[in-house]
């Protein structure tokens, strides 16, 4: 923290400029609200001051309440004595001058002001629902009055950040400055211009009128994605109150609805996820001064499904990217697939036709290695076999400029082995994208033993620059995400051997909050892919637990959606999974052949068999030093496997049950089912010390 005051008042002629200085994003941390109030009172008591400006120092206006303060006993100022209450009583006009972000309490303070101006790159919004709460500083009462009820409802329930030009159109801002304008100077000029305007245009004095039907319509439209959640519905109730109650009563109703949420599990989990996604970017064992290398000229090798998706990710974020394939047909097919993917987005209305053309124009199909030798980063995405990848890496090492970084999209192969065919092992790393690569936000950066800190930092930064959340993983079979997921994938099939049905397991996971059940996901990905991986693992490890039921389906050509039948059957041209009595019969027959007794399961037992198996493996990953933190594994499950965000993540969810209960259950299954349930050493230690998973101290990165 700087030793200068978190808020200061500076005089600029007859204008009092109130400046918030609470890095990194001017959140309303300790003393900030009080500081704003002191400066407001000072300026109002200074006869030489005719008007005020409120602005932020550094990179942003105010990014909202200090999220670290929630769930602590940090006291909030009482209703009626908050910054916007003082603003409402101000006899002099206040102009909010916005750059960077005016989010949550930041926009609420700006709406307490009488005027709002911003630079073109600014963003405004009330994203509280994204951390499981609602705007608790008058946002649900003032925004409907300022921008209209429909707009306010959409912004508050979605939590989206609105760019300044759009905010101007929506009536939230009074002016957007030209590019390059000096914000402070423009704000002071604006304040002088309106200094004598009376009455002062207070937002609270406006009306919030709406056709009552919009609230039920919103409830219906969010029903599927807001399952199991309370915050989005409380947001709707609060905005509804703005149209039904006088302002002060609406503020009180907002407060009630806020208090119902702020200490609930949903909010705790979403706050945890917020900070976990920031923590995952930090690499504690790399030199503090290591800087990611800038890159401008990426290339992708392999124009298959993954290669195409990776190239789209670069193009989507403004990079010109070269893409090559082993054959011209392969390249043409790849480019066709890319064009079709974009065309689907245009048809869905999530992408404009001209933007599609711009992105297609950034993807440059090239014939061969000579065309990419001057690139500075290459991502290899060829077939997932070492004997296919090694020659590609050897060739790249030969033709690429010596400084180029070579990354592989392998999802499980040994990166040290791959790097060993090159003379630049320090410039090699894994960059494991998740399918579809242009959609899934997770990028698992895999760390071979000889990779340089700069190479690792650049791979992590590359992910962020193309809209991904980068997470570091050790070089182990399946790395961190897939390795922690593998026991889940086995256990779901083992449950069938003991008497469950795919639709039963899928229902449990959908009720838990997943958009799709794991068996339906298997059918989407293709059961033959899973079979390939199992064969490789069984070949490498004689104790590998085979899955006869899954193998039987593949044997029968039931590969999933692509063959019209997998764990489910599918009608032609329809992706809806239909339970298939044939599968139930196969399950019964194979279980009988395996001599496994059938039993019935509770939903809780199914849920815990699946997720505890991965919690145990995640502990092994941490004790082997293959991940930095338990929260990194949670970020991977949130952004790689669609784990319900309002449950925080796998390890956070397990902490909700309690490390000892998790350990005891796993230990009892160890007795019942044998080695695959042997508790990891770290899990045993955590249980003995009753230390939550999120505080687990992993072994140094290895
Ligand atoms: N509180 C505490 N820390 C915050 C913070 C906040 N509101 N916002 C950011 N940080 C920290 C973050 O942890 C990171 O720290 C650093 O700032 C940079 O953030 C009453 C109740 C503003 C769009 O939900 O969405 O107001 O890791 O890496 O990618 O109604 O941060 O460096 O130590 O994310 O450029 C509502 C949350 C609060 C906005 C910038 N506000 N922040 O993104 O940087 S609730 C929010 C963001 C509220 C009122 C209610 C983003 C950002 P560190 P960053 P970025």
């Amino acid at each position: 923290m700087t030793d200068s005051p978190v808020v200061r008042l500076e005089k600029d002629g007859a204008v009092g400029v109130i400046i918030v200085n609470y890095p990194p994003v001017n959140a309303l941390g300790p003393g900030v609200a009080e500081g704003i109030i002191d400066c407001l009172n000072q300026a109002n008591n200074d006869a030489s001051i005719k008007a005020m400006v409120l602005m932020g120092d550094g990179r942003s206006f105010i990014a909202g309440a200090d999220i670290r303060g929630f769930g602590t006993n940090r006291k909030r100022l009482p209703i009626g004595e908050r910054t916007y209450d003082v603003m409402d009583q101000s006899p002099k006009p206040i102009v909010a001058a916005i750059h960077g972000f005016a989010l949550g309490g930041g926009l609420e303070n700006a709406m307490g002001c009488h005027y709002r101006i911003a630079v073109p790159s600014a963003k405004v919004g009330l994203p509280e629902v994204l951390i499981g709460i609602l705007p608790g500083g008058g946002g649900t009462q003032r925004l409907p009055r300022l921008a209209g009820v429909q707009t306010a409802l959409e912004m508050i329930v979605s939590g989206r950040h609105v760019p300044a030009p759009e905010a101007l159109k929506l009536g939230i801002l009074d002016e957007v400055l030209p590019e390059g304008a000096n914000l402070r100077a423009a704000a002071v000029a604006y304040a002088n211009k309106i200094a004598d305007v009376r009455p002062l245009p207070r937002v609270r004095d406006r009306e919030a009128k709406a056709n009552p039907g919009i609230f039920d319509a919103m409830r219906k439209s969010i029903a599927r994605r807001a399952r199991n959640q309370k915050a989005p519905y409380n947001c709707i109730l609060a905005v509804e109150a703005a149209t039904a109650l006088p302002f002060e009563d609406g503020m009180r109703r907002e407060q009630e609805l806020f208090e119902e949420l702020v200490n609930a599990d949903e909010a705790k989990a979403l706050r945890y996820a917020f900070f976990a996604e920031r923590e995952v970017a930090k690499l504690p064992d790399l030199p503090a001064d290591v800087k990611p290398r800038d890159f401008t000229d990426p290339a992708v090798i392999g124009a298959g499904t993954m290669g195409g998706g990776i190239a789209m990710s670069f193009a989507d974020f403004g990079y010109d990217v070269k893409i090559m394939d082993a054959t011209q047909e392969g390249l043409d097919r790849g480019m066709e697939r890319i064009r079709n993917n974009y065309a689907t987005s245009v048809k869905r209305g999530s992408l404009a036709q001209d933007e599609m053309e711009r992105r297609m124009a950034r993807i440059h199909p090239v014939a061969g290695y000579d065309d990419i030798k001057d690139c500075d980063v290459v991502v290899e995405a060829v077939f997932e076999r070492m004997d296919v990848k090694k020659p590609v890496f050897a060739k790249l090492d030969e033709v690429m400029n010596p400084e180029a970084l070579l990354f592989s999209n392998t999802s499980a192969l040994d990166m040290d082995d791959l790097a060993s065919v090159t003379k630049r092992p320090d410039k090699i790393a894994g960059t494991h994208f998740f399918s579809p690569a242009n959609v899934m936000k997770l990028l698992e950066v895999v760390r071979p033993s000889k990779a340089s800190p700069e190479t690792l930092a650049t791979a992590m930064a590359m992910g962020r620059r193309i809209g991904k959340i980068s997470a570091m993983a050790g070089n182990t079979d399946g790395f961190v995400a897939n390795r922690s997921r593998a026991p889940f994938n086995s256990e779901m099939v083992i449950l069938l051997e003991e008497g469950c049905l795919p639709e039963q397991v899928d229902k449990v996971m959908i009720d838990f909050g997943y958009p799709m059940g794991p068996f339906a996901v298997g059918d989407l990905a293709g059961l033959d892919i899973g079979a390939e991986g199992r064969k490789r693992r069984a070949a490498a490890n004689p104790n590998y637990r085979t899955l006869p039921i899954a193998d039987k389906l593949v044997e029968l050509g039931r590969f999933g959606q692509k063959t019209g039948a997998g764990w489910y059957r599918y009608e032609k041209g329809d992706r809806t999974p239909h339970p298939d009595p044939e599968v139930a019969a196969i399950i019964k027959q194979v279980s009988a052949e395996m001599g496994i007794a059938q039993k019935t399961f509770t939903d809780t037992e199914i849920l815990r068999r699946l997720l505890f198996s991965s919690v145990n493996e995640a502990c092994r990953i941490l004790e082997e030093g293959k991940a930095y933190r338990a929260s990194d594994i949670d970020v991977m499950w949130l952004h790689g496997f669609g784990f319900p965000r309002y449950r925080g993540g796998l390890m956070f969810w397990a902490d909700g049950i309690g490390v000892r209960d998790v350990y005891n259950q796993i230990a009892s299954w160890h007795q019942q089912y044998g080695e695959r349930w042997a508790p990891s050493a770290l899990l045993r230690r955590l249980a003995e010390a009753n230390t939550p998973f999120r505080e687990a101290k992993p072994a140094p990165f290895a």
Side-chain angles (χ1 to χ4, degrees):
M1 234 352 82
T2 67
D3 47 15
S4 60
V6 290
V7 186
R8 67 185 185 279
L9 172 65
E10 293 177 358
K11 277 184 70 177
D12 209 325
V15 175
V17 182
I18 300 170
I19 302 158
V20 177
N21 173 27
Y22 191 83
V25 292
N26 293 330
L28 297 163
V32 175
E34 295 80 356
I36 293 173
I37 290 171
D38 291 351
C39 291
L40 285 168
N41 293 336
Q42 230 178 306
N44 272 320
N45 299 333
D46 180 335
S48 69
I49 290 182
K50 297 256 170 293
M52 290 164 262
V53 166
L54 174 64
M55 64 188 300
D57 240 348
R59 54 179 282 209
S60 186
F61 183 72
I62 299 168
D66 184 349
I67 301 172
R68 292 189 191 286
F70 291 124
T72 68
N73 52 19
R74 191 185 296 170
K75 284 277 155 286
R76 290 186 73 196
L77 290 169
I79 286 201
E81 296 172 34
R82 297 179 175 174
T83 49
Y84 22 81
D85 301 315
V86 175
M87 291 173 181
D88 278 347
Q89 306 316 314
S90 169
K92 300 175 183 175
I94 312 160
V95 178
I98 301 169
H99 74 296
F101 301 96
L103 300 173
L107 180 56
E108 290 173 317
N109 274 284
M111 292 192 289
C113 296
H114 304 97
Y115 302 92
R116 286 149 293 281
I117 71 169
V119 296
S121 59
K123 293 223 172 100
V124 305
L126 296 175
E128 284 85 346
V129 71
L130 304 178
I131 51 172
I133 54 177
L134 56 78
T140 66
Q141 304 306 301
R142 285 193 171 86
L143 189 61
R145 286 171 165 79
L146 187 61
V149 177
Q150 183 67 55
T151 298
L153 198 56
E154 180 273 320
M155 282 178 63
I156 292 172
V157 174
S158 69
R160 77 183 173 93
H161 299 180
V162 177
E166 183 189 350
L168 179 67
K169 288 202 194 88
L170 295 173
I172 299 170
L173 299 175
D174 297 287
E175 186 175 318
V176 172
L177 304 174
E179 278 299 343
N182 173 307
L183 177 62
R184 177 170 170 152
V188 168
Y190 194 99
N192 281 315
K193 188 178 74 184
I194 51 84
D196 303 319
V197 173
R198 293 298 180 281
L200 294 172
R202 299 190 311 173
V203 175
R204 60 172 289 160
D205 298 334
R206 301 189 191 197
E207 289 221 303
K209 287 235 160 312
N211 130 17
I214 65 169
F215 302 111
D216 280 350
M218 179 58 85
R219 287 184 186 98
K220 264 209 210 65
S221 72
I222 65 169
R224 186 167 159 66
R225 73 175 168 79
R227 266 174 323 120
N228 299 338
Q229 294 169 71
K230 189 171 168 51
Y233 294 100
N234 274 25
C235 285
I236 298 172
L237 288 171
V239 176
E240 206 163 4
T243 63
L245 301 172
F247 183 78
E248 291 302 347
D249 297 351
M251 288 291 279
R252 267 186 288 281
R253 181 73 182 122
E254 175 192 274
Q255 201 52 40
E256 284 163 14
L257 292 163
F258 177 87
E259 294 302 338
E260 284 176 15
L261 300 173
V262 70
N263 292 318
D265 289 349
E266 179 183 333
K268 288 178 184 160
L270 290 166
R271 283 199 292 268
Y272 167 84
F274 175 86
F275 287 116
E277 286 159 350
R278 272 113 194 119
E279 216 52 31
V280 76
K282 298 171 184 156
L283 315 175
D285 63 345
L286 293 198
D289 61 355
V290 67
K291 291 260 171 304
R293 202 200 294 173
D294 200 359
F295 68 92
T296 54
D297 199 358
V300 176
I301 311 271
T305 309
M306 290 304 289
I310 296 168
M312 289 172 74
S313 300
F314 281 111
D316 292 353
F317 283 81
Y319 287 91
D320 278 285
V321 55
K322 296 184 180 68
I323 184 166
M324 65 174 276
D325 198 83
T327 63
Q328 188 58 43
E329 298 70 47
L331 191 56
D332 297 345
R333 254 197 326 274
M335 290 305 291
E336 190 50 34
R337 189 181 300 113
I338 290 172
R339 177 168 286 283
N340 292 344
N341 285 341
Y342 278 133
T344 306
S345 303
V346 170
K347 220 159 73 220
R348 283 208 198 111
S350 58
L351 184 68
Q353 182 65 38
D354 58 351
E355 179 54 23
M356 167 179 166
E357 298 312 332
R358 272 194 292 277
R359 294 180 187 190
M360 281 303 297
R362 292 190 196 118
I363 302 176
H364 309 283
V366 296
Y369 287 97
D370 266 0
D371 303 308
I372 64 165
K373 64 182 187 313
D374 300 324
C375 289
D376 44 19
V377 163
V378 178
V379 179
E380 164 276 313
V382 302
F383 197 68
E384 184 70 358
R385 273 211 341 250
M386 198 53 108
D387 58 346
V388 178
K389 289 185 186 296
K390 276 187 170 175
V392 170
F393 264 67
K395 181 73 179 172
L396 285 170
D397 190 39
E398 185 194 314
V399 301
M400 296 299 301
N401 63 80
E403 286 314 306
L405 301 178
L406 310 181
F407 297 151
S408 172
N409 177 53
T410 176
S411 60
L413 299 178
D414 182 342
M415 284 301 304
D416 281 329
D417 189 13
L418 197 49
S420 69
V421 300
T422 74
K423 298 183 203 54
R424 63 177 84 194
D426 60 317
K427 294 184 174 54
I428 310 279
T431 50
H432 175 209
F433 290 75
F434 285 72
S435 180
N438 60 311
V439 176
M440 297 301 282
K441 277 190 70 84
L442 179 61
L443 179 72
E444 194 176 27
V445 172
V446 183
R447 174 178 180 155
S449 55
K450 296 201 175 93
S452 71
E454 186 193 54
T455 299
L456 296 171
T458 305
M460 292 284 282
M462 178 188 85
R464 290 192 293 274
R465 290 194 194 133
I466 57 176
K468 306 297 181 193
I469 292 192
S470 303
M472 185 70 76
N475 183 35
T476 175
D477 186 1
F479 310 137
V480 171
N482 284 343
R483 179 179 158 185
S484 64
R485 174 78 182 199
F488 177 117
N489 295 341
S490 303
E491 207 61 27
M492 65 190 243
V493 180
I494 294 170
L495 283 170
L496 304 185
E497 296 168 3
E498 297 173 37
C500 280
L501 286 171
E503 54 270 29
Q504 182 186 7
V505 173
D506 279 7
K507 181 177 177 318
V508 168
M509 298 318 283
I510 289 171
D511 292 351
F512 180 70
Y514 274 93
M516 228 173 155
F519 286 103
V521 171
D523 278 353
L524 182 66
L527 303 186
D528 49 332
I529 311 284
E532 276 280 322
R534 285 196 301 277
K535 267 205 213 97
R536 188 169 55 75
R537 288 197 171 85
N541 163 7
N543 302 327
Y544 179 72
R545 173 63 159 82
T546 57
L547 301 173
I549 293 175
D551 295 340
K552 185 75 180 174
L553 263 64
V554 173
E555 217 176 279
L556 295 167
R558 299 180 66 106
F559 297 170
Q561 285 192 11
K562 58 187 167 189
T563 56
W567 293 110
Y568 295 96
R569 66 175 179 75
Y570 299 84
E571 309 289 343
K572 204 149 180 35
D574 176 5
R575 292 173 171 219
T576 313
H578 299 286
D580 191 337
E582 258 185 58
V583 171
I586 293 166
I587 290 171
K588 216 173 184 54
Q589 179 212 338
V590 174
S591 309
E593 287 159 8
M594 297 172 77
I596 296 181
Q598 303 297 286
K599 55 175 270 188
T600 57
F601 288 84
T602 64
D603 289 1
T604 301
E605 189 176 0
I606 290 171
L607 181 70
R608 292 182 175 196
R609 283 272 298 264
L610 297 183
L611 295 178
F612 283 12
S613 68
S614 286
V615 169
N616 198 20
E617 190 63 26
C619 288
R620 281 201 187 85
I621 289 168
L622 292 168
E623 75 195 27
E624 292 170 22
K626 298 299 181 188
Y628 279 126
R629 323 160 178 99
S631 65
D632 287 9
I633 299 174
D634 280 341
V635 169
M636 292 181 185
W637 276 64
L638 292 178
H639 295 285
F641 302 132
F643 192 91
R645 192 178 168 76
Y646 54 86
R647 297 191 187 279
L650 177 72
M651 306 306 272
F652 183 87
W653 167 80
D655 267 336
I657 293 167
V659 65
R660 284 197 172 146
D661 288 356
V662 173
Y663 171 74
N664 294 338
Q665 178 63 79
I666 289 176
S668 105
W669 280 333
H670 182 208
Q671 301 310 315
Q672 202 176 339
Y673 296 110
E675 257 335 277
R676 80 174 193 278
W677 279 105
S680 79
L682 175 67
L683 175 57
R684 188 192 312 275
R685 284 202 304 277
L686 293 174
E688 278 154 9
N690 206 15
T691 304
F693 292 109
R694 62 182 173 279
E695 291 166 22
K697 297 265 172 301
F701 218 104

